[in-house]
Every structure is written in structure tokens, then in C-alpha cells.
Amino acid sequence: MKKIAATFFIAYLSIAAFSQQTVSMQVNANAGKDKISRFIYGHFAEHLGRCIYDGFYLEDSTINVLKQGRIRLDVVNALKEINIPLLRWPGGCFADRYNWSDGIGPVAKRPMRINSTWGNVPEDNSFGTDEFLQLCGLLNCEPYIAGNVGTGTPREMMDWIEYLNFGGKSALSEMRRANGHTNPYKVSFWGVGNESWGCGGDMTPEYYADLYKRYAAFCLDYPGTPLKKIMSGANSDDYNWTEVCMKNVNPGQLWGISMHYYTLVNNWEHKGAATNFKEDEYFKGLKNCLHIEDLINKHSAIMDKYDPGKKVSLCVDEWGIWTDAEPGTNPAFLYQQNSLRDALIAASSLNIFNKHCDRIRMANLAQTVNVLQALVLTQKEKMVLTPTYYVFDLYKYHQDATLLPVNFFSPDYKYGNESIPAVNASASKDSNGVIHITLVNIDPKNKITVNADLSGAAFKAAEGQVLASGSFADVNTFDKPDKVKPAAFSDFKKNGNDLSVNLQPMSVTLITLK
Ligand code: AHR
């Protein structure tokens, strides 16, 4: 009797285990209403470590790479490939100690300052406003400038905007012309401070909301360039910050309010290693990354109270995994490697941002080159594209496409006594009617079959690509740059309007339906 019961129990367990690895998904191809703003796929470049100098902008002009002036074109071309839509600059915390007038005019005459935010290293200001705008021109992306509220003045920000955007005759627009740029640059995205609750001035939300209104009053629109002003928003779960700012500032006075959230594996004191970690740190990294959806829901609910028409964007203008710096590097430079785990973090975060595109219309991964969750790492002539870069490559088709509702119950990925959803996904339809579905399987051991019902989608052909690797800790290095890279994917079956896709363990899959 005991034996029969045990057999039934084992059979039950295996059915349960098996059924748990199959997901029924509905993708409603005709129910899309919200656009996934391309600015969700934005990036961030701060005067920090080797992001600007030695990343985008050569310090050593003898380095033999494709370049324009001192701008590295190998980096530019890689970012153009993923359709980089927006670049935020000059910080971060650096922005609230930066005076824009230090960085214009003949380079030899620019003052030497200290980058007191990041390691007290010399800042020669050779990369300034015109160089940044030149970089954005080469990238064909929108510039997003973070203004200085912490140590600056409304006058400084007003002058900066006039220098960049005024098409008529004034001392500042003439200065721009003398510096080689006849036409106004038309910079519309402006951050009014950065992390004003912390490095940007340690303010209370009440004080900042008043200051925001003062600055905003002097951030002037010039013909053809209405400004998109963005309030410095909350640190992760500081809901009071969002509440006070939204309550005190009329939604008509801002385009967006930001929110910053970094995925930490452990805590700020012991962040966790970027390489050679085990499953416990893989699990914690993914779990903490998925927490961002809770933050988005709660900040959005507060915004809904004051802006029910959802006119104001929630801008996640800094996000990504922050690990310990690579051993042997300057800890103030925040240089970290980037693994398959980090790619899954990026892919899951982007699926979440897509899902909430009715409120989130901008997000910027921190940071583009050589800092934090970078897309590109450089070492003299060499450049390596990280696993995270390839996620942005697979996801670029969602930019400005219409979000399609996706419904499913995910099986769990269990580790120890904890569990998180193993699968996340998003789908969109582009202006040619092509559907793209991005599917993430976080489970490091189990394949998961997704049976997708695509009612309303009349597609003739399906194609796939997958980003996966043997270990979640796999990275691309200067010696082995192609270890983690997308490959063609064909482990799916089309049956009329249904699609059955076998997701590999720890993978990001793109399915294109034409
Ligand atoms: O991205 C690094 C830093 O993180 C930024 O300068 C700051 O805004 C945030 O705290």
C-alpha cells in the first residue's frame, strides 16, 4: 500500500513539475493602445571614471581607432546599431557641481577643475557642451541635459538654455556661433537637478518642489524648442518625495518626474561581485531587479492622484545593476564587468518598462561605457560589447511600437525557500504591422515552453534570436569578446495563429512575426 501511494505521489510530483514548465500565453494583436516610447531605451553618460574620458572621448590621441576629433567612432557605431534614442549628460551627481561655462570655447583656455564627485581626479573640461552635442549628432540621438540646481543658479541654467537653443541674436547665441554652431541645437530634455534628496543638495521634497518652480520659471522655451522639464524624483521607495512633488507642482509645469533604482545583490556596503558569483547571488540579483515593478506601481498610483490623465512621465532616468568595482580598478570609477545575469536583469527591466509605457516614457541605463551596467567596455584600441548591449539590440524593435497586452501565469523559479516568476515577456506591433515578442526565462536549469495564442495576428512567418550561455556568470572579455552573443533561434513551432516556443534556461528570446 505504502509503495502504491509513493508511486502515485512521485507521478503527481512529476506531472506537477512538468505542468509547471509550460506557460499558456495570450498575446492580443489587436488590443494595443499605448506606444512604447523609444526614450525608454535611453542611456546615461556621466563625467565618472572612464565613461566620458577614455570611453566616448579619447584621452590618448595616439590610440589607433576610428575617430572624429577625439570621439571614438567604434563606440558611436556600436550604439547606432541599437538605435540609441537619447543620452543623458553630464551627470548624475557630477551635474550638481558642474558649471557649463567651464566647458565651452577653445579647449586650451578651459579651466582645470577637480572632479570632486568621483575620485578627485582632474577635470580639464575638454569634453563640454559642444562636444556633447557633437556626440549626440554622431549618435543621431536626443540630448538630455541635467542642469545644476545643487550649486548652480537659475541664471546659469537659463543662460545654458539660451546658448543652446536661441536662434536670434544675443551675446550667448553669438558665442555658440563663434564656437562653430550657427543653428540652435534645440535641446528639449532638461533635468532640473539630480538626486536633490542626496548628492544634489540633500533637500527635503518641500524645499525642492519650491526650488523646482523657481528654476522652471527661468527655463525658457525658444521658438521650435518647447522644453521637456524633468523634476528630480525619488530614490527607489521614497514615495513621500513623489507625493510632495506631485502635490506642489502643477502637472502643466513638468514633462516628467524621475525615479532612480539600482539593483543591488546584497546591500550598499557589500554590493556583490560582478563575476564568479554563485546561484545565490544570481537569484538575489534577479529578485531585486524585479522589485522595480512594485516601485513603479506605487509611484504611478501617487502620480495618478494628481495627474489622472497621465500627462506627466515617470522617467526611470537611472537604473541597472550596481556591483562591486572590478578588483584592481579605482573604486571611485565604478568599473564593473557585465554577465549573462546582468543581461537578464536588463531584459526583465525593459519588459517591465514596456508594460508600464502608459506612464513610463523615458528610462536611462546607468551607464553607457565603462561604468556600472555598461553596454560597451574599452581598453586602449579594444572595445567589447557586453551581454547587456545585446539585449538592447534584441529589444530595439519595441522602440515607438504599440504595446500589445500579454497575459500569462509564470511558473516559479525557486531557490532555497524563495521563489520569483521565471518568465517575463512583452510584445509590440510596429508601424509595418510586424509583431515582436521578447521572452525572458530566468530559471537557470529548466527549459520552459510558452504556448502563445496570438488571436488577431495574421502572420505568415516567424523568426527567432536568442541570447543565452552556459553559465549565468559568463562575460565577454577583451580576449573572448564573443562568449555571450545572440544566435539564430528556431526551437519554436507555428500552428495557425498559435506559436509554441521552447525557452532555454537563463535566456532572452526575440520572436519576430511577419
Ligand atoms: O550612476 C552613478 C550615480 O548614481 C549617479 O551619479 C547618481 O545620480 C546616482 O546616485
Side-chain angles (χ1 to χ4, degrees), residues 44 46 48 92-93 118 194-195 260 262 318 322 366-367 372:
F44 172 33
E46 179 165 12
L48 192 181
C93 296
W118 300 112
N194 168 74
E195 297 194 349
H260 289 181
Y262 284 99
E318 286 185 30
W322 190 324
Q367 300 193 7
L372 299 178

Side-chain angles (χ1 to χ4, degrees), residues 113-378:
R113 306 278 184 209
I114 314 162
N115 185 337
S116 54
T117 319
W118 300 112
N120 284 329
V121 293
E123 166 60 68
D124 70 3
N125 282 300
S126 55
F127 188 92
T129 296
D130 290 291
E131 288 76 17
F132 173 61
L133 271 299
Q134 186 195 357
L135 173 62
C136 291
L138 290 168
L139 291 168
N140 194 21
C141 77
E142 285 285 328
Y144 169 22
I145 294 185
N148 179 344
V149 169
T151 63
T153 61
R155 171 105 237 166
E156 274 169 38
M157 205 185 297
M158 181 170 132
D159 285 352
W160 202 357
I161 295 166
E162 183 180 325
Y163 176 85
L164 284 158
N165 291 350
F166 184 52
K169 241 178 169 342
S170 75
L172 287 166
S173 64
E174 287 304 314
M175 200 188 286
R176 182 192 68 235
R177 290 185 187 97
N179 291 334
H181 214 270
T182 313
N183 294 322
Y185 284 109
K186 300 191 170 189
V187 177
S188 58
F189 288 103
W190 286 86
V192 181
N194 168 74
E195 297 194 349
S196 302
W197 40 264
C199 67
D202 208 4
M203 302 174 198
T204 62
E206 289 79 7
Y207 179 76
Y208 172 72
D210 280 349
L211 208 51
Y212 172 84
K213 287 186 275 193
R214 179 167 172 226
Y215 272 75
F218 301 105
C219 290
L220 303 181
D221 290 350
Y222 291 106
T225 316
L227 300 189
K228 297 185 171 81
K229 285 168 266 188
I230 295 157
M231 281 186 99
S232 168
N235 180 20
S236 58
D237 62 355
D238 184 354
Y239 303 114
N240 182 51
W241 186 277
T242 303
E243 179 84 45
V244 172
C245 288
M246 290 301 295
K247 189 174 175 181
N248 287 292
V249 181
N250 185 310
Q253 288 176 285
L254 68 160
W255 183 83
I257 180 165
S258 70
M259 193 268 280
H260 289 181
Y261 177 69
Y262 284 99
T263 295
L264 299 173
V265 172
N266 299 310
N267 53 49
W268 283 106
E269 286 68 45
H270 305 283
K271 296 182 198 73
T275 55
N276 297 321
F277 50 85
K278 302 279 182 296
E279 191 172 348
D280 59 335
E281 299 211 326
Y282 171 76
F283 180 86
K284 281 193 274 179
L286 266 309
K287 177 174 174 242
N288 294 342
C289 140
L290 296 178
H291 176 57
I292 200 170
E293 186 159 22
D294 189 39
L295 303 177
I296 291 167
N297 283 327
K298 291 181 177 148
H299 285 290
S300 299
I302 296 167
M303 293 176 75
D304 286 349
K305 278 204 284 181
Y306 302 99
D307 173 35
K310 294 188 191 291
K311 293 212 163 50
V312 178
S313 166
L314 179 61
C315 303
V316 190
D317 63 12
E318 286 185 30
W319 66 274
I321 180 165
W322 190 324
T323 67
D324 296 331
E326 279 305 292
T329 64
N330 183 339
F333 282 13
L334 311 184
Y335 178 82
Q336 64 189 48
Q337 247 296 359
N338 190 295
S339 63
L340 178 64
R341 173 193 62 189
D342 305 344
L344 299 179
I345 286 175
S348 304
S349 303
L350 291 169
N351 278 341
I352 293 171
F353 299 159
N354 286 349
K355 183 171 156 194
H356 293 271
C357 68
D358 60 338
R359 185 56 93 177
I360 300 180
R361 294 186 206 101
M362 183 206 277
N364 303 288
L365 178 64
Q367 300 193 7
T368 327
V369 190
N370 293 333
V371 169
L372 299 178
Q373 190 169 355
L375 300 184
V376 179
L377 303 175
T378 64

